[in-house]
Structure formats: C-alpha cells, structure tokens
Amino acid sequence: MVIRQDGDLENTNNSYTGLSDVKLKENIVDANSQWDDIKALRVRNYNFKPETGHGDHRQIGLIAQELEPICPHLVDESPDIDAAGNKLGTTTKSVNYSVLYMKAVKALQEAMERIEVLEAKVNALEGN
C-alpha cells in the first residue's frame, strides 16, 4: 500500500475494508429508502484548481455544499492550516463517500425491485 503525497491511497487490488462483523453490531434493522436522496444528488465533472496541487485531470464526484442540504451527515468540515500547523480561520468541506456508496447500493436495490414489478406487469399485459 502506498499513500501518495496528494493523499490518494493506492494498493494492489483497490480494496478497502471496514469493520462489518455482526458480533460488533447491535440494533440491526433494514435501512430506510435512499431513493429520494440518491435521486437528488448532482453528480458533477470537475477538475481541481491548479493552486490546490491536486492535479488538473477531469474527475467525477459531488460538491460538498450541494450535498449538504440533502445529506448533511455525509459532509465533514476541517479547519484549514498552513505549513506550520497554524489555523487559517477557514474550513474545507469533504464528502464521506464510503457511506454514500452504501446509500447508492440501497437505492439500486430499490430500483431493481421497481424494475421487477414493471417487468411482471408488462409480461401480464403481453400475456406471457
């Protein structure tokens, strides 16, 4: 594994894990619908400004300020600091993509259920 100077994490098989063992969890219930949240997201193409040092290649993702009214718990804010560790009085927002991915999986499951219902209706109408 390599942590790049720009903060990117690189590994052989692109896998990232989180603790998920049932023995560590309680109050386990099915998640609520994520359909409306995922539908409301604005997925954007962008590139970072040159002065950020994050490269200028085209990327796809979300804008934290656009996500915040929809899913405020997915946006974090950190104080900006200079090279000496001094706070600059400003903050930078970030997106918790790992939770967003789970919301997207749930919405995909909902979409699959809707498709299956529609397919059954079409089959019934066509007499199949």
Side-chain angles (χ1 to χ4, degrees):
M1 174 184 78
V2 176
I3 300 176
R4 299 283 177 205
Q5 189 172 6
D6 65 2
D8 283 351
L9 178 69
E10 189 176 290
N11 64 10
T12 303
N13 61 4
N14 193 30
S15 65
Y16 307 93
T17 62
L19 292 174
S20 188
D21 196 302
V22 70
K23 72 181 179 187
L24 303 173
K25 300 176 180 185
E26 63 183 7
N27 304 318
I28 300 168
V29 296
D30 287 342
N32 295 329
S33 174
Q34 302 300 309
W35 188 270
D36 291 334
D37 285 355
I38 295 299
K39 190 173 178 185
L41 299 180
R42 296 184 71 183
V43 179
R44 308 295 211 128
N45 286 115
Y46 61 90
N47 58 277
F48 283 104
K49 296 176 180 179
E51 62 268 20
T52 66
H54 295 305
D56 61 357
H57 60 285
R58 193 155 180 82
Q59 299 193 37
I60 186 170
L62 303 176
I63 306 300
Q65 287 82 350
E66 293 175 353
L67 174 63
E68 200 165 24
I70 302 162
C71 302
H73 60 283
L74 295 185
V75 177
D76 194 18
E77 200 165 1
S78 302
D80 297 325
I81 56 173
D82 63 18
N86 301 309
K87 290 185 180 179
L88 299 175
T90 57
T91 60
T92 298
K93 295 184 180 208
S94 58
V95 173
N96 185 339
Y97 280 104
S98 63
V99 173
L100 179 64
Y101 297 149
M102 288 297 96
K103 289 174 74 67
V105 167
K106 178 65 176 174
L108 176 60
Q109 290 174 332
E110 293 175 57
M112 292 168 70
E113 288 175 19
R114 290 180 181 200
I115 290 167
E116 289 167 354
V117 167
L118 291 173
E119 286 174 337
K121 287 181 180 180
V122 168
N123 285 336
L125 289 172
E126 291 178 346
N128 296 335

